[in-house]
Amino acid sequence: MTSITIGLILIGVLFVLVLLGMRIAVALMAVAFAGVWIIRGNFDLSMRLMSIATYNGVANYLFATIPLFVLMGHLVSISNVGKDTFDVAEALLRRLLGGLGIATVAANTVFAAVTGVSIASAAVFTKVAVPEMTRHGYRPSFSAGTVAGSSVLGMLIPPSLLLIIYGVLAEQSIGRMFIAGLVPGALLAGGFVLWIMLVAKFAPRLVFTQEYLSKKTEQHELPPAMPVSEILKKLLPIVVLVVFVLGGLYSGFFTPTEAGGVGAFAALIIALLRRSLDLRKWWQVLTETGTISVGILALLVAASFYSQMLAVAGIPSAIGSFVQNSGYGPVGFLFVYVILVLLLGMILDSSSILLIVVPIAAPIAQGLGFDLIQFGIITVIAVEVGLLTPPFGISIFTVHSTLGDQNTTLESIFMGAFPYVVIMLLVLALIAAFPGLVIG
């Protein structure tokens, strides 16, 4: 049995272990360890490679980016910055048809620029936006679907944990990945807004309840106008964070790790000034940050070892040669790859998909002439589609559980989020066709 055959069998074993419920980090580490041992017939070599992967994972300065941005996201979430952002967007867009839906997308876009976690956005805006939209005559499925759909912006607009994970796995600059995510993130947000405006204008029954449509628009209660001073007061914290984090990062004044540290400190000051942080909440923030960060770092260590096993087996080079000799070329490879990621998104979470496919696909894509920054943005968008598709659809489940409304079913939220899936796929195709949109 050749090493390539052994490697392919072990990849199949990995999928089986994950589907059976084994922790992805444990499954990756076990498969990688067994693979090196079997292929090389050397237990000591397998132990050495595992220790090297573990040491590099702990010693890499770049990995400090993860806990710092996670800490910043938690501090921002408890400071009600998300609610204030939505309130301002609601006040500014209140007279537009579908204005509250547009306000949800706008607030999610800004909130994404300081959190980087889709699930956090989904949870925050389910509490803030859905009740407000329902009160103003929006259909519950449309309201919940809009929150779930626009929450995916958190993983594309920098800072983003998925972009960090991809950058580490593909050995690409985190700063360049962040810059590359700006235009695609803006395209997605713009596409979401355009969809809401069109459907509110030409198919209002999909947006508003029958009771709302039976009334005259003039009789419908509009949110009160917000004074300019209050708008500035509510926007100041998030503007400060964006300027500190993204401004310092894109100007080259901060490295990604330094930007995370500055952002976390600024978020701490905002939380203290707003008196939203007591000792109990501070301990909760620290423990949640530690839990998430250690989990991600363990995944990255395991993925590094898994990549070494694939290289020992010769899997990436073998698949790359097969693709080049098949006649399908780069376009065929990209199409099959995206379909595979979309299918995996239906059964696995985002991080697991990246950890499994990127070590295999990135070397092949590079060999076929793809820019790995562009390839990363395509990968992240395809992975994010999985947050909105059944049966996994973690963003949908987050919205449903946070909503706690038995009248709003999972099926209705999936249907409400479906148009946003279509828009994401259109943006993905656009990015694939025009690489200049994403290369930082």
Side-chain angles (χ1 to χ4, degrees), residues 107-122:
N108 246 320
T109 303
V110 177
F111 194 67
V114 293
T115 55
V117 182
S118 293
I119 306 306
S121 297

Side-chain angles (χ1 to χ4, degrees), residues 309-348:
M309 185 275 290
L310 293 174
V312 169
I315 297 292
S317 59
I319 296 178
S321 300
F322 173 78
V323 171
Q324 288 176 330
N325 296 329
S326 66
Y328 292 110
V331 176
F333 163 74
L334 185 63
F335 179 79
V336 172
Y337 173 73
V338 169
I339 294 297
L340 174 63
V341 172
L342 293 177
L343 292 174
L344 289 175
M346 296 181 180
I347 56 175
L348 297 175

Side-chain angles (χ1 to χ4, degrees), residues 340-426:
L340 174 63
V341 172
L342 293 177
L343 292 174
L344 289 175
M346 296 181 180
I347 56 175
L348 297 175
D349 65 277
S350 303
S351 299
S352 299
I353 298 170
L354 288 182
L355 293 163
I356 292 172
V357 303
V358 170
I360 300 173
I364 300 170
Q366 191 171 31
L368 293 173
F370 285 100
D371 181 277
L372 287 186
I373 300 294
Q374 176 206 14
F375 188 72
I377 298 300
I378 291 173
T379 299
V380 169
I381 294 176
V383 165
E384 285 292 274
V385 171
L387 293 177
L388 304 176
T389 51
F392 197 77
I394 187 63
S395 280
I396 305 294
F397 282 96
T398 300
V399 170
H400 184 260
S401 61
T402 305
L403 199 57
D405 181 5
Q406 299 303 318
N407 295 323
T408 306
T409 64
L410 277 171
E411 292 78 9
S412 67
I413 303 176
F414 274 117
M415 290 302 296
F418 179 73
Y420 300 97
V421 172
V422 175
I423 293 168
M424 292 174 71
L425 294 176
L426 291 174

Side-chain angles (χ1 to χ4, degrees), residues 166-187:
Y166 175 86
V168 171
L169 294 175
E171 299 181 356
Q172 297 299 302
S173 163
I174 303 299
R176 284 192 66 202
M177 290 301 305
F178 282 177
I179 294 172
L182 283 175
V183 173
L187 286 174

Side-chain angles (χ1 to χ4, degrees), residues 73-318:
H74 280 306
L75 289 171
V76 167
S77 294
I78 68 167
S79 301
N80 288 325
V81 171
K83 182 180 186 304
D84 286 350
T85 306
F86 177 78
D87 290 343
V88 171
E90 177 187 4
L92 296 177
L93 301 168
R94 67 189 188 281
R95 295 190 180 276
L96 289 177
L97 189 61
L100 287 183
I102 298 172
T104 301
V105 174
N108 246 320
T109 303
V110 177
F111 194 67
V114 293
T115 55
V117 182
S118 293
I119 306 306
S121 297
V124 167
F125 289 104
T126 299
K127 295 176 183 177
V128 172
V130 173
E132 191 71 6
M133 294 172 75
T134 303
R135 187 170 70 85
H136 284 85
Y138 288 74
R139 292 173 61 89
S141 61
F142 176 84
S143 304
T146 298
V147 170
S150 57
S151 71
V152 301
L153 294 167
M155 283 303 185
L156 189 60
I157 295 176
S160 158
L161 285 181
L162 282 191
L163 291 179
I164 294 173
I165 292 172
Y166 175 86
V168 171
L169 294 175
E171 299 181 356
Q172 297 299 302
S173 163
I174 303 299
R176 284 192 66 202
M177 290 301 305
F178 282 177
I179 294 172
L182 283 175
V183 173
L187 286 174
L188 273 183
F192 293 165
V193 169
L194 182 61
W195 155 253
I196 293 171
M197 294 175 67
L198 290 176
V199 74
K201 177 70 175 176
F202 297 106
R205 293 182 185 278
L206 297 177
V207 179
F208 304 105
T209 61
Q210 186 61 42
E211 182 183 0
Y212 172 87
L213 293 173
S214 65
K215 299 178 182 179
K216 291 183 179 179
T217 305
E218 302 90 74
Q219 294 177 342
H220 193 71
E221 178 190 355
L222 288 173
M226 184 180 292
V228 175
S229 59
E230 188 174 353
I231 290 176
L232 295 176
K233 180 181 177 181
K234 286 179 176 290
L235 284 183
L236 181 61
I238 204 158
V239 169
V240 168
L241 285 171
V242 170
V243 169
F244 268 100
V245 178
L246 300 187
L249 185 64
Y250 298 142
S251 66
F253 194 75
F254 298 142
T255 66
T257 306
E258 291 166 347
V262 170
F265 180 74
L268 174 62
I269 297 299
I270 290 170
L272 291 174
L273 291 176
R274 290 190 159 205
R275 298 182 180 179
S276 58
L277 190 67
D278 54 27
L279 286 177
R280 182 183 62 82
K281 289 183 178 179
W282 176 237
W283 178 250
Q284 181 182 348
V285 165
L286 289 179
T287 53
E288 289 180 358
T289 299
T291 300
I292 294 173
S293 300
V294 169
I296 293 174
L297 291 173
L299 287 170
L300 290 174
V301 167
S304 174
F305 189 27
Y306 170 67
S307 300
Q308 292 176 359
M309 185 275 290
L310 293 174
V312 169
I315 297 292
S317 59

